[in-house]
Amino acid sequence: MSVPIISTGKQVLTGKNVLGLILAGGSSQRLGGGDKSLRPLGDHTILHQVCARLKPQTDQIILSANSDPAFFASFGYPVINDGKWLNSGPLAGILAGCHYATQLGCSHVMSVAADTPFFPPDLLHRFAQTLAGAASPMEDTIIFARSDFGAHPTFALWPANIAASLENWLSETKRRSIRVFANNHTVAYADFSETDKISGLDPFFNINTQTELALARSAWQLQDMSGWQERES
């Protein structure tokens, strides 16, 4: 199922021409190592819940992960790694995603983090609305999600043709910050001021520690009990 069509006046964005990229390449050191996205949450794993949240928004989904691809085989999505940019942080995953999107004929990449299972179910729709209202050229405009807790650069809409600029950046500097790279382009923000109506969590609450994992599990249980949690069909 694709999100409603949003016309920017220059291009039409739907779930058909935006590649969904799940960034799952973190080291998870504060959770004791391993792939934290594979830890249980509700009846499944964190990653399963992220996939279920993303699936209705875009027709194409890939996973960016540097672990053994067999770990993710059950999800049924292609797995890409950082290649020669291993240990370069999420920018490497975004670069690989942009290259993959170009091969598919997708104009944009929407990145989401694999440890953030409460992100908005209308994320792409609202990114597209923000892009439609931006005065800058589509091919040079990055949209970041922003909540009351600040900007969330791993949740972003990227023009796929930014790959050349990103590859040059990784080649020429050791700075691996998404924000610093984005300063070379135009950034607009899609605002998400609302919190989860049951748990009160920020929609971009992410899981890095055992305490945060416990909080996420409690919040998920509340949603299950209330019958709000979306399930993958």
Side-chain angles (χ1 to χ4, degrees):
M1 179 177 67
S2 297
V3 296
I5 294 174
I6 296 291
S7 175
T8 65
K10 305 171 187 175
Q11 184 176 348
V12 173
L13 288 182
T14 73
K16 294 184 181 297
N17 58 8
V18 177
L19 174 67
L21 170 67
I22 301 175
L23 298 170
S27 61
S28 307
Q29 292 181 355
R30 283 182 284 174
L31 268 173
D35 291 288
K36 63 180 171 181
S37 64
L38 300 180
R39 283 173 166 77
L41 179 65
D43 295 334
H44 299 285
T45 64
I46 298 170
L47 182 55
H48 178 98
Q49 311 296 12
V50 168
C51 290
R53 184 60 62 99
L54 184 59
K55 184 178 179 180
Q57 302 193 47
T58 181
D59 292 357
Q60 301 281 351
I61 295 175
I62 60 170
L63 300 173
S64 169
N66 295 306
S67 302
D68 185 341
F71 294 164
F72 306 97
S74 64
F75 294 94
Y77 297 120
V79 179
I80 58 175
N81 61 40
D82 294 346
K84 70 176 183 179
W85 302 114
L86 188 64
N87 300 319
S88 295
L91 281 176
I94 293 163
L95 173 59
C98 287
H99 284 313
Y100 197 94
T102 299
Q103 294 173 10
L104 293 178
C106 294
S107 63
H108 285 76
V109 172
M110 183 171 76
S111 60
V112 304
D115 62 356
T116 308
F118 301 100
F119 69 87
D122 61 345
L123 184 68
L124 178 54
H125 184 75
R126 291 166 70 174
F127 275 162
Q129 287 180 317
T130 302
L131 184 61
S136 52
M138 287 186 63
E139 63 271 15
D140 195 56
T141 303
I142 302 166
I143 311 295
F144 283 160
R146 183 169 58 187
S147 71
D148 290 342
F149 291 84
H152 305 276
T154 54
F155 284 83
L157 184 68
W158 306 85
N161 62 9
I162 210 168
S165 172
L166 181 47
E167 187 142 22
N168 287 338
W169 174 266
L170 291 173
S171 299
E172 295 172 1
T173 179
K174 295 185 180 299
R175 305 192 73 177
R176 298 298 186 245
S177 165
I178 295 177
R179 295 174 195 255
V180 175
F181 165 74
N183 286 338
N184 296 295
H185 300 271
T186 301
V187 176
Y189 294 91
D191 286 313
F192 300 85
S193 60
E194 65 275 13
T195 59
D196 177 78
K197 294 181 180 179
I198 298 176
S199 68
L201 293 177
D202 182 87
F204 302 100
F205 172 84
N206 64 315
I207 301 167
N208 287 312
T209 66
Q210 293 292 347
T211 298
E212 290 165 346
L213 179 58
L215 181 57
R217 286 172 173 166
S218 296
W220 204 269
Q221 185 176 28
L222 285 172
Q223 291 197 4
D224 279 344
M225 291 172 60
S226 301
W228 282 41
Q229 183 54 49
E230 301 171 32
R231 293 294 186 185
E232 184 177 13
S233 61

